[in-house]
């Protein structure tokens, strides 16, 4: 009897049955995410991680290459520039030293030429003085020897005299003395005195 009554109640309340169906439909669990989508997400994260590692590795490689090649090259360039500056400084110093040496050499050459000129002049003056003294003492042989030596030494002296007129006059007077010392000792003595005065003027050329 009870069973029949319950069945009747259900048949008599169709709305209640529909509500139970709706409630059962509402509380059904949500469908789960398919496995391929989960794998794709994991794969994306994995690829992204490796891309970051790859980019970081490349950056580190570039930095290492820069420090390995660029910096040594820059240091080498700095050393080359420094060496060039030092070489230029040494060159300038060498040129300055060379100019100074040339100046000293020119001065030394000039001093040497002056010394050679003074020596040649002194030799002729000495010959003339001895010849005059010998003529005064009537030592004609010695006078002639000194005049002959004076002729040779005068040739050396004339190489230092730039004035052609002076050189010609001295040479002519010496020739006169060389002739007179054998023929006219008085004339030779007078010419020797005049030549001595000429030579004295040459000391202050």
């Amino acid at each position: 009897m009870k069973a029949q009554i319950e069945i009747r109640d259900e048949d008599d309340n169709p709305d209640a049955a529909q509500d139970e169906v709706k409630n059962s439909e509402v509380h059904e669990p949500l469908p789960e995410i398919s496995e391929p989508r989960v794998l794709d997400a994991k794969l994306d994260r994995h690829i992204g991680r490796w891309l970051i590692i790859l980019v970081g590795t490349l950056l580190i490689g570039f930095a290492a290459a820069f420090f390995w090649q660029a910096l040594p090259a820059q240091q080498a360039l700095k050393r080359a520039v420094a060496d060039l500056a030092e070489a230029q400084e040494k060159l300038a110093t060498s040129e300055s030293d060379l100019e100074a040496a040339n100046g000293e050499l020119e001065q030394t050459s000039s001093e040497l030429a002056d010394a050679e000129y003074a020596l040649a002049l002194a030799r002729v003056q000495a010959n003339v003085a001895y010849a005059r003294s010998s003529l005064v003492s009537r030592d004609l042989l010695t006078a002639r020897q000194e005049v002959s030596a004076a002729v040779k030494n005068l040739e050396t002296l004339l190489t230092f005299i730039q004035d052609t007129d002076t050189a010609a006059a001295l040479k002519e007077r010496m020739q006169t003395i060389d002739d007179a010392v054998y023929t006219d000792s008085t004339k030779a003595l007078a010419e020797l005195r005049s030549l001595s005065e000429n030579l004295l003027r040459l000391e202050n050329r």
Side-chain angles (χ1 to χ4, degrees):
M1 182 68 74
K2 290 180 180 180
Q4 292 177 355
I5 293 170
E6 289 177 358
I7 293 171
R8 284 179 182 175
D9 290 338
E10 291 176 359
D11 294 336
D12 292 341
N13 295 312
D15 295 332
Q18 292 179 357
D19 292 336
E20 290 179 1
V21 174
K22 291 180 179 180
N23 291 332
S24 64
E25 292 178 356
V26 171
H27 294 290
E28 288 181 358
L30 296 174
E32 295 181 359
I33 300 174
S34 60
E35 185 176 352
R37 292 183 180 178
V38 175
L39 292 176
D40 290 342
K42 291 182 178 180
L43 183 60
D44 291 340
R45 288 194 300 271
H46 188 69
I47 292 174
R49 187 180 301 114
W50 278 106
L51 285 175
I52 293 173
I53 294 173
L54 180 60
V55 171
T57 304
L58 289 175
L59 291 176
I60 293 172
F62 286 137
F66 175 79
F67 285 102
W68 182 261
Q69 295 181 355
L71 286 183
Q74 290 180 353
Q75 293 176 355
L77 178 60
K78 289 181 181 179
R79 286 195 299 269
V81 172
D83 293 342
L84 177 59
E86 183 179 0
Q88 290 176 341
E89 184 178 357
K90 289 181 179 179
L91 177 60
T93 302
S94 299
E95 290 177 348
S96 178
D97 293 342
L98 179 60
E99 291 178 359
N102 287 333
E104 293 177 357
L105 180 60
E106 291 178 359
Q107 181 178 359
T108 302
S109 299
S110 177
E111 292 175 353
L112 178 61
D114 290 341
E116 290 176 347
Y117 169 78
L119 177 61
L121 177 61
R123 283 175 176 172
V124 177
Q125 288 175 321
N127 294 141
V128 170
Y130 279 121
R132 290 177 62 189
S133 175
S134 297
L135 286 176
V136 170
S137 62
R138 302 291 180 178
D139 186 357
L140 298 180
L141 178 61
T142 302
R144 290 168 183 170
Q145 290 175 342
E146 292 297 330
V147 168
S148 178
V151 171
K152 294 180 180 179
N153 289 330
L154 182 64
E155 293 295 328
T156 302
L157 177 61
L158 293 179
T159 60
F160 296 98
I161 297 176
Q162 302 297 326
D163 189 349
T164 56
D165 292 338
T166 301
L170 290 173
K171 191 172 184 179
E172 182 180 357
R173 175 154 286 169
M174 180 60 73
Q175 185 61 47
T176 301
I177 294 170
D178 191 28
D179 293 338
V181 75
Y182 291 95
T183 58
D184 190 346
S185 58
T186 302
K187 182 178 180 181
L189 183 60
E191 291 292 334
L192 284 169
R193 184 174 58 253
S194 298
L195 180 59
S196 178
E197 294 175 354
N198 297 145
L199 295 175
L200 187 62
R201 294 190 184 95
L202 292 178
E203 291 181 358
N204 300 321
R205 68 167 186 144

